[in-house]
Amino acid sequence: MAAVGGTTGVKISPSVMACDFLRLADEVASVEAGGADMLHLDIMDGRFVPNITFGFPIIEAVRRTTSLPLEAHLMIIEPDRYVREFARAGADVITVHAEACPHLDRTLAEIRESGAKAGVALNPATPLCAIEEALPLVEFITVMTVNPGFGGQGFIERCVDKVRRLATIVAGRGIEIQVDGGIGVATAAVAVAAGATILAAGSSVFGPADRKAAIEALRRAAHGLDPCSQP
Ligand code: DX5
Ligand code: ZN
């Protein structure tokens, strides 16, 4: 399995959903060469969210073309049914939604048994207490900063305080805090200042032609080095 991370500081995880699928290998190569730390694969089933993206063949294809760590962000109902298959397809991190998992403890244990790292995501209206008892089982927590289902949506500002509170709760536990949705230069700065350690970003990375510049701009903003990032 590829190591997750590799650079110190905030990690940038481009969301493949925003790329040109006709040129998948080139698109992945462009963000890998541009300094991405991980790749974010948004799996939607048309049930948990009102959109359908892609499944195992695309994950396998991405796995074959890059050594970057892959996160499968499962926006699907009954994710337990497919955990092993996502791990087999090449996901290094498997993130499930707390809202989709009535037996979250069991689901997270299954992810760990599959050999992947376990992540849990929370929709904007889901309180942090929904995962409080599961903290010993997770290595990644995703605070959704949009309602999941589509790329290119506006960042929900009130989620910043949730990131701040979560950072206090998980301090010292070695848990990564990811923000996902509407992340660009300005929102990256705010999210990282609140405690985010991973930025999942679709349109702000794959939108511009120069992916390296886009990733570097996010990284500068994350580290407070870009005056344009101040809200
Ligand atoms: C939203 C997805 C996000 C999305 C991010 O449901 O989970 O990962 O692709 O896209 P942007 O960065 O365009 O909001
Ligand atoms: Zn996502």
Side-chain angles (χ1 to χ4, degrees), residues 79-80 83 96-98 100-113 118-120 130-138:
D80 326 47
V83 160
V96 294
H97 268 262
C101 298
H103 304 290
L104 184 60
D105 185 280
R106 181 189 294 154
T107 306
L108 294 170
E110 278 176 18
I111 295 173
R112 294 161 74 97
E113 279 165 24
V120 64
I131 55 163
E132 199 179 308
E133 305 300 329
L135 293 180
L137 294 170
V138 297

Side-chain angles (χ1 to χ4, degrees), residues 15 40-42 44 73 75 142 144 178 180 200:
S15 169
H40 186 90
L41 303 170
D42 285 307
M44 305 185 187
H73 175 195
M75 287 160 277
T142 299
M144 292 305 301
Q178 176 167 252
D180 185 13

Side-chain angles (χ1 to χ4, degrees), residues 16-37:
V16 167
M17 187 172 88
C19 86
D20 176 357
F21 281 90
L22 204 54
R23 303 174 50 253
L24 182 58
D26 291 344
E27 294 283 73
V28 169
S30 75
V31 293
E32 186 163 9
D37 299 286

